[in-house]
Short mmCIF file of all heavy atoms in Angstrom, two decimals:
data_model
loop_
_atom_site.label_atom_id
_atom_site.label_comp_id
_atom_site.label_asym_id
_atom_site.label_seq_id
_atom_site.Cartn_x
_atom_site.Cartn_y
_atom_site.Cartn_z
N THR U 380 12.96 20.03 22.17
CA THR U 380 13.97 20.70 22.90
C THR U 380 13.60 20.89 24.39
O THR U 380 14.46 21.10 25.24
CB THR U 380 14.23 22.15 22.34
OG1 THR U 380 13.06 22.95 22.43
CG2 THR U 380 14.67 22.03 20.88
N ARG U 381 12.29 20.83 24.72
CA ARG U 381 11.81 20.99 26.07
C ARG U 381 11.24 19.71 26.66
O ARG U 381 10.57 19.72 27.71
CB ARG U 381 10.74 22.11 26.14
CG ARG U 381 11.21 23.44 25.58
CD ARG U 381 10.10 24.43 25.67
NE ARG U 381 9.76 24.79 27.03
CZ ARG U 381 8.68 25.49 27.39
NH1 ARG U 381 7.79 25.88 26.49
NH2 ARG U 381 8.47 25.75 28.64
N LEU U 382 11.53 18.59 26.04
CA LEU U 382 10.95 17.33 26.39
C LEU U 382 11.62 16.82 27.69
O LEU U 382 12.81 16.61 27.74
CB LEU U 382 11.12 16.33 25.26
CG LEU U 382 10.30 15.05 25.33
CD1 LEU U 382 8.85 15.38 25.28
CD2 LEU U 382 10.71 14.18 24.15
N ASP U 383 10.79 16.54 28.70
CA ASP U 383 11.30 15.88 29.90
C ASP U 383 10.10 15.30 30.67
O ASP U 383 8.96 15.37 30.22
CB ASP U 383 12.10 16.87 30.80
CG ASP U 383 11.32 18.08 31.30
OD1 ASP U 383 10.05 18.04 31.24
OD2 ASP U 383 11.92 19.04 31.72
N LEU U 384 10.41 14.72 31.82
CA LEU U 384 9.37 14.02 32.57
C LEU U 384 8.27 14.99 33.04
O LEU U 384 7.07 14.68 32.96
CB LEU U 384 9.98 13.30 33.76
CG LEU U 384 9.04 12.53 34.69
CD1 LEU U 384 8.24 11.48 33.89
CD2 LEU U 384 9.80 11.86 35.84
N ASP U 385 8.66 16.18 33.44
CA ASP U 385 7.71 17.19 33.92
C ASP U 385 6.73 17.58 32.79
O ASP U 385 5.56 17.78 33.01
CB ASP U 385 8.37 18.38 34.52
CG ASP U 385 8.90 18.13 35.89
OD1 ASP U 385 8.43 17.19 36.58
OD2 ASP U 385 9.79 18.86 36.37
N ALA U 386 7.30 17.75 31.56
CA ALA U 386 6.45 18.13 30.46
C ALA U 386 5.36 17.04 30.19
O ALA U 386 4.20 17.35 29.92
CB ALA U 386 7.26 18.33 29.21
N LEU U 387 5.73 15.80 30.29
CA LEU U 387 4.82 14.69 30.10
C LEU U 387 3.76 14.69 31.23
O LEU U 387 2.57 14.55 30.94
CB LEU U 387 5.55 13.35 30.06
CG LEU U 387 4.68 12.12 29.95
CD1 LEU U 387 3.81 12.14 28.69
CD2 LEU U 387 5.52 10.87 29.97
N LEU U 388 4.20 14.85 32.47
CA LEU U 388 3.25 14.85 33.58
C LEU U 388 2.33 16.07 33.53
O LEU U 388 1.18 15.94 33.92
CB LEU U 388 4.02 14.82 34.92
CG LEU U 388 4.84 13.54 35.17
CD1 LEU U 388 5.59 13.67 36.51
CD2 LEU U 388 3.94 12.32 35.22
N ALA U 389 2.81 17.16 33.04
CA ALA U 389 1.98 18.33 32.85
C ALA U 389 0.86 18.06 31.84
O ALA U 389 -0.31 18.45 32.09
CB ALA U 389 2.78 19.55 32.41
N SER U 390 1.20 17.38 30.78
CA SER U 390 0.18 17.08 29.75
C SER U 390 -0.90 16.18 30.23
O SER U 390 -2.01 16.23 29.73
CB SER U 390 0.91 16.40 28.54
OG SER U 390 0.00 16.18 27.52
N ALA U 391 -0.63 15.40 31.31
CA ALA U 391 -1.61 14.46 31.88
C ALA U 391 -2.01 14.77 33.28
O ALA U 391 -2.46 13.92 34.01
CB ALA U 391 -0.98 13.03 31.82
N CYS U 392 -1.90 16.04 33.65
CA CYS U 392 -2.22 16.45 35.04
C CYS U 392 -3.70 16.86 35.23
O CYS U 392 -4.10 17.97 34.86
CB CYS U 392 -1.30 17.66 35.43
SG CYS U 392 -1.65 18.24 37.09
N LEU U 393 -4.50 15.95 35.76
CA LEU U 393 -5.90 16.26 36.04
C LEU U 393 -6.01 17.11 37.27
O LEU U 393 -5.61 16.70 38.37
CB LEU U 393 -6.69 14.95 36.18
CG LEU U 393 -6.92 14.20 34.90
CD1 LEU U 393 -7.47 12.78 35.21
CD2 LEU U 393 -7.89 14.93 33.98
N PRO U 394 -6.58 18.30 37.18
CA PRO U 394 -6.57 19.27 38.27
C PRO U 394 -7.34 18.85 39.48
O PRO U 394 -7.13 19.34 40.59
CB PRO U 394 -7.06 20.55 37.65
CG PRO U 394 -7.85 20.14 36.47
CD PRO U 394 -7.18 18.91 35.96
#
Side-chain angles (χ1 to χ4, degrees):
T380 64
R381 303 180 67 193
L382 193 63
D383 60 17
L384 180 57
D385 283 340
L387 176 60
L388 295 178
S390 184
C392 178
L393 288 167

